Amino acid sequence: MSILVFIEQRDGKLRPVSNEALGEATRLKAALGGPVVAVVAAASDPGTASLGTWGADEVLLATHESFARYEPTGYVAAVVAAVGQVKPAAVLFAASAMGKDLAPRVAARLGVGLATDCVALSAEGARLTATRPVFAAKAVQTVRFPRSPALLTLRPKAFASVEGSGSATVTLLPVAVDAAAAKAKVTGVAAAGGGKVDLTEAEIIVSGGRGLKGPEHFAMIEDLAAALGGVVGASRAVVDAGWRPHGDQVGQTGKTVSPKLYVAVGISGAIQHLAGMTSSRCIVAINKDAEAPIFKVADYGIVGDAFEVVPALTEAVRKLNG
Amino acid sequence: MLQLVCIKQVADTETRVKVAADGRTLDPTGVTWIMNPYDEFALEQSLRIKEKLGAGEVVALSLGGAGVLTTLRNALAIGADRAIHLKSDAAQPDSLQVARAIAAAAKDLGAQIVWFGKQAVDDEAGQVGAMTAELLGLPAVTVIAAMELDGATVKLEREIEGGREVIEVPLPCVLTADKGLNEPRYASLKGIMAAKKKPIEEKPAELGEPNLEIVSMTLPTARAAGRVVGEGVAAVGELVRLLRDEAKVI
């Protein structure tokens, strides 16, 4: 049976996060059969033939001027139309801002179950099982789907995208768009500081906590992040204190991240913070308290004063990069 | 203007999770139950709107067994005017079941805003708000970080990767609240006293067929303990070497 993958575009550019879902769909093909069908809603073709290299066998392209920006009513109609056409065993979305908003609406429309923020999928025959963290990653749940299609959103960075040499055929997907039905209107998009990469999609994150003693000392966190080519995160304590915006918060009431490198500076490691970052590939902790819980999850730790260690580390990384 | 605030009772975020004997759900022994933290932002915003308009009604709704009454009483103490208890003994109904039950209960209520938190901190699903909107045929904006009511239009901001969308939506609508929307108030002593006299209406929850089967819940494998590279600036060189040569992340 076919696997449908919803592909995101923003400003006419395909979003790489969707390639991770294509990569996973390609792996599931062995059990579920194929083909892997990508569905894209856009004002005009954002270069969807290129999706073949990421694993799509076919592309269904729904175009309408109102699809330029994410708009739930029209996008739901496009995905539902694609489901009707290809009758997939599963529909995959990225657990991104867009996917998290869209998938539940599609599930309600189709009357089927949805597993959100999955970190692993497996298939035996046509039977799909999804694994997802619950209770802020203090536990892991496995779920199955009594009816088809199974709907799933995949946590960014939890699945690998695979670039290959395949090609995809692009077919136009007719969608009846009722522009009057779209009641919520996006009137603008304000870019976050300098178009910063979102924490959930960053490869490297340097987070600061209360140990930094004041918002002005985040400059050295910014410096280290810049040297590493990463972005800045924060603990809940410093967000609640107003030192950093809520969008920077990593943890239970903030973002869950899985970068390849997570550097925690002056963060003691409350259970709610650990919940948001323990799926990182490599964790570094810098803290002056040798007993801080953060050291229990860190691959590498330095016990010491952040005000001395961080600038030295920044300098060493800069030297390394020449 | 009537606002419906849908509230889930969840285990306190400090809870040490233990799996129950069924292998699928949380062992409730010793668990402290609280209002889902994101629902607090929704309730707070509804109260602020009511206060600003100087009129209206805030109705709190929760689905579950008799245990959820403490959370509904808390919502009344914080400031909701009345409550609806959708009674269900289902151990862990799935999101679509819950959305169906809420949609059935909300259908004839005439709410101008149906509020949710962006997700519950137990099952972390983040589905019920958008599903309920779809079932009710209402527009929905999820994960809102800022809002302002301007006549019959709501102006909102929601965070997306690398920015914020500015959105306008007409009433009636469904909104799901993110942290940062406001600073929730606590129940006052006066509010706690007043809550005792506020009505809680009981209705059966119309869940319908299950849509997701929970096979198991397990505790994650602990991360292997790492090592302390050293103390202070002297350890920086070795750390950089390990990150480059051993972990291969820089």
Side-chain angles (χ1 to χ4, degrees), chain B residues 10 23 27 32 54 56 58 79 83 88 91 107-108 157 160 165 167 169 177 189 210 229-230 235 238:
Chain B
V10 297
D27 180 350
T32 306
V58 171
S88 161
K107 194 169 40 119
D108 301 319
E157 287 180 26
I160 57 171
E165 282 179 340
I167 300 176
V169 64
L189 191 58
V229 177
E238 177 63 359

Side-chain angles (χ1 to χ4, degrees), chain B residues 1-9 35-51 56-64 68 71-86 98 101-103 105-107 109-119 128-129 132 136 138 144 147 173-178 181-182 184-185 199-201:
Chain B
M1 178 168 119
L2 191 151
Q3 298 175 80
L4 179 65
V5 185
C6 301
I7 291 166
K8 186 175 188 182
Q9 186 180 60
M35 183 184 299
N36 176 42
Y38 293 110
D39 302 348
E40 292 182 3
F41 302 112
L43 177 60
E44 175 64 33
Q45 200 66 23
S46 73
L47 295 173
R48 288 187 187 190
I49 290 168
K50 181 188 157 184
E51 285 157 7
E57 192 179 23
V58 171
V59 181
L61 176 149
S62 194
L63 186 151
V68 305
T71 295
L72 280 177
R73 279 287 167 215
N74 182 32
L76 295 172
I78 290 168
D81 298 293
R82 63 184 170 97
I84 299 172
H85 174 204
L86 293 182
V98 173
I102 293 174
K107 194 169 40 119
L109 213 55
Q112 290 299 295
I113 304 178
V114 182
W115 285 99
F116 294 85
K118 75 163 179 180
Q119 72 189 58
V128 177
T132 305
L136 288 170
L138 292 178
I144 63 167
M147 86 159 295
C173 63
V174 171
L175 302 176
T176 81
D178 194 4
L181 180 60
N182 53 45
R185 72 193 71 181
I200 300 182
E201 181 190 355

Side-chain angles (χ1 to χ4, degrees), chain A residues 10-290:
Chain A
R10 198 183 288 160
D11 303 323
K13 288 191 194 75
L14 296 168
R15 302 224 320 126
V17 71
S18 297
N19 295 340
E20 297 169 17
L22 280 177
E24 184 60 14
T26 311
R27 279 183 289 275
L28 289 172
K29 232 162 65 161
L32 295 179
V36 173
V37 183
V39 57
V40 185
S44 59
D45 190 350
T48 52
S50 68
L51 293 170
T53 60
W54 299 101
D57 299 304
E58 298 168 22
V59 176
L60 292 174
L61 174 65
T63 57
H64 189 273
E65 58 184 14
S66 69
F67 291 169
R69 278 195 182 132
Y70 171 61
E71 189 288 300
T73 317
Y75 276 47
V76 168
V79 176
V80 169
V83 168
Q85 187 162 324
V86 306
K87 309 264 187 304
V91 187
L92 311 186
F93 304 78
S96 58
M98 195 187 294
K100 285 184 197 174
D101 188 85
L102 175 61
R105 299 172 195 257
V106 175
R109 186 72 67 85
L110 296 173
V112 297
L114 164 65
T116 43
D117 212 19
C118 301
V119 294
L121 307 183
S122 65
E124 276 176 56
R127 184 144 214 210
L128 201 61
T129 303
T131 302
R132 50 188 303 277
V134 290
F135 292 100
K138 285 183 265 181
V140 179
Q141 189 183 59
T142 56
V143 296
R144 283 194 192 130
F145 301 83
R147 285 186 300 285
S148 146
L151 264 54
L152 308 109
T153 69
L154 310 191
R155 175 178 290 186
K157 299 272 162 217
F159 298 87
S161 54
V162 183
E163 192 165 14
S165 55
S167 62
T169 53
V170 181
T171 315
L172 283 179
L173 176 72
V175 179
V177 180
D178 178 6
K183 297 223 167 67
K185 302 253 188 268
V186 176
T187 56
V189 177
K196 164 181 162 177
V197 172
D198 194 72
L199 282 171
T200 57
E201 296 179 357
E203 293 279 359
I204 294 178
I205 296 171
V206 184
S207 281
R210 208 159 14 194
L212 291 171
K213 299 194 171 87
E216 66 278 14
H217 298 129
F218 265 79
M220 75 183 182
I221 301 297
E222 305 262 6
D223 287 348
L224 177 56
L228 288 165
V231 297
V232 174
S235 71
R236 173 179 172 168
V238 307
V239 169
D240 283 355
W243 299 0
R244 301 295 294 183
H246 174 243
D248 282 3
Q249 186 185 328
V250 173
Q252 187 159 24
T253 47
K255 286 175 177 154
T256 304
V257 298
S258 317
K260 71 176 183 189
L261 173 61
Y262 187 90
V263 184
V265 181
I267 293 176
S268 63
I271 191 165
Q272 293 91 342
H273 186 78
L274 302 184
M277 44 66 84
T278 41
S279 58
S280 305
R281 208 167 97 205
C282 178
I283 298 172
V284 171
I286 298 167
N287 204 296
K288 66 173 190 228
D289 175 10

Side-chain angles (χ1 to χ4, degrees), chain B residues 15 42 55 75 93 98 160 165 170 180 183 202 231:
Chain B
T15 303
V98 173
I160 57 171
E165 282 179 340
E183 208 47 64
E202 190 178 289
E231 289 189 14

